[in-house]
Amino acid sequence: MNDILPDEVVRWQRLEAAFRRHAELQGYAEVRTPIIEQTALFRRQVGETTDIVEKEMYSFERHGDDLTVRPEGTAGAARAYVEHQLAAKEPVSRWYYLGPMFRGERPAKGRYRQFYQAGCELYGDAGPLSDAEIIDLVCGLFRDIGVGEFVVHVNSLGSGGTRDRYRDALLAHFEPRKDKLSDDSQRRLFKNPLRILDSKDPRDREAAAGAPSILDVLDDADRAHWQGLLGYLDALGVPYVADPSLVRGLDYYTRTLFEVKTKAADLGSQNTLCGGGRYDNMIKSLGGPDVPAIGFALGLERLLLSMPDTARKAGPGAVILPLAPEGAKKGLVLARDLRALGVVAELDGRGGKLKTMLARAEKRGAAMCVILGEEVQRGTVAVKDLAARVQDEIPLESAARIIADRLGQPRAVPRPPAQPGDPQTPGPAGEARGPR
Ligand code: AMP
């Protein structure tokens, strides 16, 4: 579990804002659900024989409830969708979320025990068109934030009858090889042979060679959905590969399954930036109506490791240096007036020599210093532009307005920092400049 210090948070905020923007452009709205849910929710939806449920959940008992700190966001969102009867209120719901998830995994670069996911969930549309659009949402975001080369792996797990037929075909393949499988896979063989395809264990990998492909057993409706999806991905120019070995570590998926992997970053085996798929049975299994759904989650830490490192924390617009005895009171008021005009203003009340104070302001990355020395008695302050290295004296009375104008500030409310993808910014490579 990591601390994320203010210097790093700048990049997080940019990524989060870009994600929100792309999701909102496709009509998604944010949902916030509790971080703790009933353990049974994850057991049933994520699946008893998954790694997450078998060994990674942070679960505890309190006040007679069996609770779990959420390992993923889809089950909680679906629970809320059913509980608040969204299906009766609107035919299609598009939700997104952002927040921490918790899995007791073995930590590695790009794999943590508390990590952040941003995800989208689309309820109420079964067609492959929505699958293609949601995949394209992720690709658009990745291009915008400057993720290097990436590729979308897609597969279909089929639905209902297809899944059962595939399970039988897999059993027939693995049963004669049972002794060669890892302990986990031997245990899961009869309960959930699909999980073996997801195993990283070299013994399981070897045994899986030549296993039947699910794409060979899709029924007509599943095949039409699958081919429809590939056609739409082609139309959108999405860089994809059909990958029948893709299974993913959660049991709830039906039909479309996808992962977006980066080719560029040195994330090793943690190169999956995003995972998602269709889960057409979950809403019904939670006691809701028969509503199809599709969603994805992306890992923010891994994305940050794959993004160009251009965002910098913007320094304050003005640092105020009260030197004269009456400078402190005037400085307090000036700082407040500057902030009211949208200028980030900091007071340096630590005293010392002017040279030292100027050096400190420069180190903070300030654009300007306002010196309140003996000139205050004349009703003026000295303003030093730290980039241009020029200094002049201006009337104290109108100092806030003049400084705000020089910094190019709006006159009323502060503006949020420019975000990657904003039309007026040069894109991910542009230098970060918050309000000053
Ligand atoms: P999942 O919920 O397992 O489908 O994962 C979706 C995405 O979340 C992955 O592609 C990763 O980017 C990210 N992710 C999953 N587990 C972790 C973890 N333990 N640490 C960091 N990121 C993770």
Side-chain angles (χ1 to χ4, degrees):
M1 299 188 188
N2 298 305
D3 296 314
I4 307 162
L5 301 180
D7 268 344
E8 302 163 68
V9 167
V10 182
R11 298 185 75 227
W12 283 78
Q13 289 174 334
R14 285 172 177 262
L15 172 56
E16 288 162 9
F19 167 74
R20 284 176 195 279
R21 191 168 159 273
H22 281 264
E24 285 167 12
L25 281 170
Q26 270 200 26
Y28 288 82
E30 184 174 357
V31 64
R32 298 186 186 196
T33 61
I35 286 179
I36 296 170
E37 296 274 358
Q38 301 279 353
T39 299
L41 174 71
F42 301 115
R43 285 195 168 285
R44 291 203 195 111
Q45 300 307 326
V46 174
E48 294 279 0
T49 49
T50 58
D51 280 352
I52 294 180
V53 169
E54 278 190 349
K55 40 191 167 188
E56 295 169 1
M57 294 204 300
Y58 289 94
S59 301
F60 59 99
E61 194 265 353
R62 189 60 39 97
H63 308 306
D65 286 321
D66 285 322
L67 303 171
T68 291
V69 195
R70 66 182 183 194
E72 58 94 60
T74 297
R79 192 238 352 110
Y81 177 87
V82 171
E83 200 169 313
H84 299 277
Q85 299 171 9
L86 264 292
K89 294 176 186 152
E90 52 190 28
V92 171
S93 299
R94 290 185 174 86
W95 287 2
Y96 75 81
Y97 60 85
L98 260 165
M101 307 295 160
F102 301 82
R103 295 181 197 171
E105 293 195 77
R106 196 171 45 79
K109 184 176 182 187
R111 188 172 61 217
Y112 311 103
R113 291 183 167 171
Q114 172 171 340
F115 59 98
Y116 287 77
Q117 283 187 339
C120 286
E121 312 290 355
L122 166 58
Y123 308 99
D125 189 338
L129 201 69
S130 52
D131 304 23
E133 272 212 303
I134 211 168
I135 292 172
D136 194 45
L137 193 167
V138 179
C139 296
L141 170 68
F142 284 13
R143 278 192 298 270
D144 188 14
I145 60 178
V147 172
E149 264 192 292
F150 60 85
V151 63
V152 184
H153 290 242
V154 274
N155 191 18
S156 174
L157 287 186
S159 52
T162 300
R163 291 287 285 275
D164 296 340
R165 275 203 307 283
Y166 188 50
R167 186 183 174 278
D168 293 345
L170 276 182
L171 255 181
H173 172 84
F174 283 118
E175 232 185 315
R177 299 169 172 81
K178 186 166 187 254
D179 296 342
K180 303 216 166 70
L181 295 172
S182 70
D183 295 347
D184 270 351
S185 290
Q186 290 198 20
R187 200 166 34 78
R188 289 169 177 172
L189 176 61
F190 293 99
K191 283 197 211 153
N192 195 346
L194 219 73
R195 289 264 67 82
I196 303 173
L197 299 179
D198 199 35
S199 167
K200 304 266 185 302
D201 191 300
R203 287 170 291 176
D204 297 333
R205 292 262 193 212
E206 201 170 309
S213 163
I214 183 130
L215 296 176
D216 295 334
V217 293
L218 292 183
D219 67 19
D220 289 347
D222 289 335
R223 182 165 301 283
H225 188 104
W226 168 244
Q227 282 170 347
L229 168 64
L230 300 189
Y232 295 136
L233 293 178
D234 285 332
L236 287 163
V238 166
Y240 73 86
V241 289
D243 178 358
S245 72
L246 180 64
V247 179
R248 302 190 31 70
L250 306 97
D251 274 356
Y252 47 61
Y253 291 114
T254 51
R255 290 192 166 161
T256 305
L257 202 60
F258 65 96
E259 278 187 352
V260 188
K261 292 174 188 281
T262 167
K263 293 198 227 165
D266 59 339
L267 276 163
S269 61
Q270 314 307 318
N271 65 344
T272 305
L273 303 176
C274 171
R278 185 162 275 292
Y279 50 98
D280 288 342
N281 301 327
M282 190 188 291
I283 300 301
K284 200 166 176 202
S285 85
L286 285 167
D290 194 1
V291 172
I294 180 164
F296 69 80
L298 29 99
L300 297 190
E301 287 85 353
R302 288 186 201 177
L303 269 182
L304 287 164
L305 288 167
S306 318
M307 273 167 62
D309 185 11
T310 51
R312 292 277 173 272
K313 192 152 92 32
V319 169
I320 297 165
L321 309 177
L323 295 179
E326 63 274 39
K329 286 182 188 161
K330 303 254 194 268
L332 272 172
V333 176
L334 177 59
R336 194 184 57 189
D337 291 349
L338 280 166
R339 291 169 193 145
L341 292 171
V343 176
V344 178
E346 291 180 8
L347 257 172
D348 182 349
R350 285 178 296 166
K353 290 201 185 99
L354 176 61
K355 207 172 143 198
T356 318
M357 293 171 97
L358 283 170
R360 279 205 298 255
E362 201 149 4
K363 207 164 167 205
R364 289 282 297 147
M368 288 194 183
C369 270
V370 189
I371 303 155
L372 286 83
E374 57 195 27
E375 55 275 84
V376 173
Q377 282 159 10
R378 300 194 296 273
T380 62
V381 296
V383 180
K384 179 162 187 175
D385 184 321
L386 291 175
R389 309 220 154 263
V390 290
Q391 185 170 326
D392 63 347
E393 250 180 72
I394 59 172
L396 174 59
E397 208 181 55
S398 45
R401 167 89 355 119
I402 295 170
I403 293 165
D405 281 347
R406 286 185 185 177
L407 291 166
Q409 289 305 303
R411 292 192 174 234
V413 258
R415 225 181 0 200
Q419 300 301 339
D422 277 359
Q424 70 272 28
T425 60
E431 194 209 344
R433 282 185 75 92
R436 301 196 121 180

